[in-house]
Amino acid sequence: MTTISMPQLGETIIEGTILKWLKQEGETIERDEPLFEISTDKVDTEVPSPVTGTVSKILVEEGQTVPVGTDLAEITEDGAASASGGAADGAGAASGGGPAPAAEETSSGTAAGTEPPSEAAPGTEPPSEAAPAPSAAPSQAPAAAESASAVAEGSAAEMPAVEPATPQGAEATSASATSPEPAPSGTGSDLPDRGPRSRILSPLVRRLADEHGLDLSRIDGTGAGGRITKQDVLSAIDSGGAAVAVATAPAEVPAAVVAPAEAPATTPAPPTPTVAPVQPAVAGPGDEVVPISHIRKLIGQHMLSSLETSARAWTMVEVNIDHLVKLRERAKEAFKAKHGVNLTYLPFVIRATCDALLTHPEVNSELRGDEIVRHRYVNMGIAVSYDAGLIVPVIKGADAMNTVGLARAIADLAGRARAHQLKPDEIQGSTFTITNPGPYGSIASLPIINQPNTGILSLDAIQKRAVVIDDTIAIRSMVNISMSWDHRTIDGEIATRFLARVKQNLESWDFAEDVTV
């Protein structure tokens, strides 16, 4: 018997949400065949099975969010004797951290969900003793462990006014053990059923709700199947709705305030505004209503956040890459035969850009509060288009690679991105980003900055143009290379000098010894 646990997909990932089981109990599965889909704060991805066998038991239902290390399913491997079932069950209980008899007294979900994360262990014991429903412990424990530090400051300020209030507000205090009400964010199961996915809560949504004291049962989800999205929560925060407050008893608030000098406390709280439900789209003649995917929403949120955050400016240069076009035509067949990947123009551009970034570290930087952090290395993000939208995997240490190494890294990351096999750590940590809309015919692009980078470079289509060289008109392969940059960190002079360096490198460097075989 093999127990499948929630994987550690990245250093900053502490939990994940089961989006869909791709195999059900009793179905056979091959090694490396996708078993389930999960959603984290960074990316949605499929998780393959580590063994070949039969799915004997699913321990966590779709839509449930559990911490890393939680047991999710059990797979009986091919060739295992049927008589070993009892021993396998005992081994499964032992792997959860307790003896087999103790594991039998609790539900399989509770044993799996409360013990693996060491930091959540102290908080999981009281719920297991007091909670009437053991299945609620896995989802409540990680929520308490995650939001303890974030909620502590806010709850301390609200505690005097909350004590005499209704049980809904009492959950913000540290003495809420006697209250049967769940945490404000909910676990998903306590939410009203407003659609097939209305009770699926991503870790980001739950974290935002915990930090701002929101009651998710009062927020109507606009996502596919009624799912509550990040934007829904942000809208509730902006409007002041869905807050777990004492608006139902405004007269009691002044009585709970000890300091009489606080004038605001004597003013009754205004009625809590409600979040207006979003009406579903109605398809007219010739229309088709398509639900927005999880990834599509994340892309939109990140792009909108970038525009609202950065002071974006734009600069473009024209580059003569006639010699690169001829070099690639000569070397591409032999290059693919030797190295197993296609030779594109992107490795040349990345090499030229890395040199320019190290020459002008102001561009290879990010703004952190009141300080600018300049990176003395290059982690190059490359925008990749795939069936779900757009994703930016990162080539770590790109400045230390030659053309062949960059070509291999690009092919590997782009291939795994389109196969939904990237890990969260592979799409974060970029210091600069390059997008390449040229193959689709674009000749001038204005990309949105990939936060927290200072700039993003766009490589557009290569065209033969008539240019003047030494007072003579000639036909050359030309390309527009532009950059969107953040005016908060750099000015136009640095941006132009940076692009001029990229242009100089591409027009003057000899890449022949890198790609010839």
Side-chain angles (χ1 to χ4, degrees):
M1 183 77 69
T2 298
T3 301
I4 309 300
S5 302
M6 177 63 71
Q8 177 77 51
L9 294 178
E11 295 180 0
T12 61
I13 305 299
I14 61 174
E15 63 182 4
T17 300
I18 302 295
L19 290 181
K20 183 179 181 181
W21 283 103
L22 304 177
K23 293 289 183 177
Q24 301 300 321
E25 292 184 2
E27 294 184 353
T28 59
I29 188 169
E30 299 293 329
R31 178 186 177 91
D32 295 329
E33 184 180 359
L35 176 59
F36 58 91
E37 295 178 0
I38 62 173
S39 172
T40 69
D41 288 352
K42 303 297 182 182
V43 69
D44 290 359
T45 187
E46 295 179 349
V47 177
S49 170
V51 296
T52 297
T54 302
V55 179
S56 56
K57 193 171 186 179
I58 292 178
L59 305 176
V60 177
E61 297 180 356
E62 292 181 0
Q64 190 172 352
T65 300
V66 295
V68 168
T70 300
D71 292 345
L72 304 178
E74 295 176 352
I75 297 179
T76 302
E77 299 181 49
D78 287 350
S82 59
S84 64
D89 291 340
S95 65
E104 291 175 357
E105 294 175 1
T106 63
S107 68
S108 58
T110 304
T114 58
E115 295 182 356
S118 58
E119 67 274 14
T124 58
E125 294 177 7
S128 65
E129 296 174 1
S135 60
S139 55
Q140 293 175 357
E146 281 179 14
S147 59
S149 60
V151 176
E153 296 180 0
S155 60
E158 297 171 359
M159 200 172 299
V162 171
E163 288 178 356
T166 61
Q168 184 182 13
E171 66 194 25
T173 69
S174 59
S176 60
T178 59
S179 173
E181 296 294 329
S185 64
T187 61
S189 61
D190 58 326
L191 297 179
D193 187 1
R194 298 188 176 116
R197 299 173 66 85
S198 61
R199 296 181 177 179
I200 299 178
L201 302 177
S202 71
L204 180 59
V205 165
R206 296 198 304 109
R207 186 174 298 115
L208 285 173
D210 288 335
E211 291 174 354
H212 295 275
L214 299 183
D215 181 2
L216 291 176
S217 65
R218 299 170 60 186
I219 299 178
D220 291 324
T222 62
R227 187 176 183 184
I228 299 175
T229 67
K230 174 187 174 183
Q231 194 58 47
D232 296 332
V233 178
L234 294 178
S235 298
I237 294 171
D238 293 339
S239 64
V244 180
V246 290
T248 56
E252 296 178 8
V253 176
V257 179
V258 178
E262 296 184 4
T266 62
T267 303
T272 302
T274 58
V275 179
V278 178
Q279 298 298 326
V282 178
D287 294 335
E288 179 185 6
V289 178
V290 180
I292 300 178
S293 68
H294 176 67
I295 292 295
R296 184 76 262 158
K297 289 183 180 179
L298 287 178
I299 294 172
Q301 291 164 5
H302 291 168
M303 296 300 97
L304 182 61
S305 174
S306 177
L307 290 175
E308 294 174 344
T309 300
S310 60
R312 185 180 62 166
W314 183 78
T315 307
M316 185 182 76
V317 294
E318 189 179 41
V319 185
N320 181 348
I321 60 169
D322 199 66
H323 70 295
L324 280 181
V325 173
K326 294 175 180 178
L327 172 63
R328 177 178 175 273
E329 287 299 320
R330 293 196 308 268
K332 64 181 183 180
E333 297 298 335
F335 186 91
K336 183 175 182 179
K338 179 177 181 179
H339 301 293
V341 295
N342 291 324
L343 178 61
T344 67
Y345 295 103
L346 196 53
F348 303 129
V349 176
I350 292 178
R351 282 200 60 198
T353 303
C354 286
D355 172 81
L357 289 170
L358 296 180
T359 304
H360 300 284
E362 304 94 333
V363 183
N364 193 41
S365 67
E366 64 178 275
L367 186 64
R368 295 182 186 173
D370 295 330
E371 297 177 327
I372 296 176
V373 179
R374 295 176 178 175
H375 306 291
R376 302 295 178 176
Y377 57 90
V378 179
N379 289 342
M380 186 64 72
I382 53 171
V384 175
S385 177
Y386 71 126
D387 59 351
L390 184 70
I391 196 167
V392 184
V394 181
I395 302 175
K396 304 293 178 65
D399 55 308
M401 297 183 181
N402 61 11
T403 306
V404 175
L406 289 171
R408 286 173 171 166
I410 293 168
D412 171 59
L413 288 173
R416 289 193 291 114
R418 295 184 176 111
H420 300 256
Q421 295 177 350
L422 289 176
K423 299 177 181 178
D425 284 345
E426 294 176 315
I427 60 171
Q428 56 186 328
S430 66
T431 62
F432 193 79
T433 304
I434 292 181
T435 182
N436 181 27
Y440 306 103
S442 170
I443 60 173
S445 303
L446 181 60
I448 299 176
I449 300 170
N450 181 32
Q451 295 296 327
N453 299 167
T454 285
I456 177 172
L457 185 142
S458 178
L459 175 64
D460 286 291
I462 301 171
Q463 294 182 317
K464 286 187 177 294
R465 303 174 191 165
V467 296
V468 178
I469 301 177
D470 296 330
D471 294 333
T472 303
I473 297 178
I475 304 299
R476 294 291 185 268
S477 295
M478 308 293 293
V479 64
N480 293 332
I481 294 181
S482 61
M483 180 176 69
S484 293
W485 47 277
D486 193 342
H487 224 317
R488 298 177 303 163
T489 52
I490 62 174
D491 296 319
E493 178 191 357
I494 295 297
T496 304
R497 289 171 59 189
F498 166 79
L499 281 178
R501 178 71 179 224
V502 175
K503 171 184 170 73
Q504 177 185 349
N505 292 344
L506 288 173
E507 291 182 343
S508 62
W509 281 6
D510 184 5
F511 294 91
E513 63 181 48
D514 276 356
V515 300
T516 54
V517 294

